Amino acid sequence: MDRAASFLLDLGIGKDDIIVAQTPNTIELVVTYLAAWRVAAAVSPVPVQWRAHELTYVLGLTGAKAFIVAGVFKDFDHLEMARKLRSAHAGLEHVVSLDSFHQETTGHAVRDDLDEATAELDANDISVIQWTSGTEAEPKACPISHNNWGFARFIYLIFYS
C-alpha cells in the first residue's frame, strides 16, 4: 500500500484529489482505496458496465485527476475508452490500467513523506464518492466521509457482535 501511495504522490495526487476507479473486484482496487486514503485523496468507484455517457458525467462532476481502469474486461477495452475520455477532461491528468498500476506499484520506492501526506487527512474529508443508478437522469453522487465509515463500523459492532 505504501508503494502504491508513493506512486500516487509521484503522479501529483494528494489531498482532496479524486481517483475514479472502473475495475472489477481485484486486489488492486483494494490497494487503490488504501493508497488514496494514505495520501488524503478520495476514490470514486464506478461499475464496469458504465460506458462513455455515464463516465463523461462522472469525470466532469468530480474533476477527477486520475482514472484507473480495467484495461480489456469482458471483451470491452476500458483503457481505450478512458484515453478517449481524457481528451475531453482537462483536469484528468492520468489514465492508468490495472496491469500498469500493478507493475508500477509492485517495485515502486516508498517515499519518506507519506506520513506527512496522511497527516493532512481529516476524518470529515470525503473518502469515497459512490453513485446511484440514476434511473430518471444522470447518476447521483453520494459522498461518504471517513467518519461515515467509522460510524457504520460502530453500528455494525453494536448490532452484529
Side-chain angles (χ1 to χ4, degrees):
M1 188 224 7
D2 282 351
R3 291 180 191 279
S6 297
F7 172 69
L8 295 177
L9 282 177
D10 286 346
L11 292 180
I13 296 169
K15 174 87 171 132
D16 297 329
D17 287 329
I18 307 293
I19 301 167
V20 171
Q22 187 181 36
T23 70
N25 293 327
T26 63
I27 189 65
E28 290 83 8
L29 180 59
V30 175
V31 171
T32 298
Y33 276 90
L34 297 174
W37 297 339
R38 182 82 160 103
V39 301
V43 178
S44 183
V46 295
V48 291
Q49 298 87 350
W50 283 8
R51 298 296 183 254
H53 173 78
E54 294 90 356
L55 295 170
T56 295
Y57 179 76
V58 167
L59 293 168
L61 188 64
T62 63
K65 196 169 190 177
F67 190 10
I68 298 176
V69 296
V72 175
F73 181 72
K74 294 194 175 187
D75 297 324
F76 184 79
D77 194 337
H78 293 269
L79 184 57
E80 179 184 333
M81 176 184 63
R83 287 179 175 151
K84 289 178 182 175
L85 288 168
R86 182 179 180 192
S87 64
H89 298 278
L92 183 58
E93 297 177 15
H94 309 283
V95 171
V96 182
S97 72
L98 275 183
D99 289 340
S100 178
F101 184 75
H102 179 79
Q103 291 170 357
E104 289 289 336
T105 60
T106 300
H108 205 84
V110 176
R111 290 175 54 139
D112 294 332
D113 58 349
L114 277 178
D115 289 340
E116 294 170 27
T118 306
E120 292 186 41
L121 186 65
D122 182 271
N124 290 316
D125 287 342
I126 299 302
S127 62
V128 177
I129 301 171
Q130 295 183 182
W131 298 89
T132 67
S133 60
T135 56
E136 295 183 17
E138 301 295 348
K140 315 278 186 299
C142 304
I144 300 171
S145 73
H146 294 277
N147 269 332
N148 292 135
W149 287 119
F151 184 73
R153 180 181 174 273
F154 173 74
I155 294 298
Y156 178 83
L157 290 174
I158 288 174
F159 290 104
Y160 298 104
S161 63

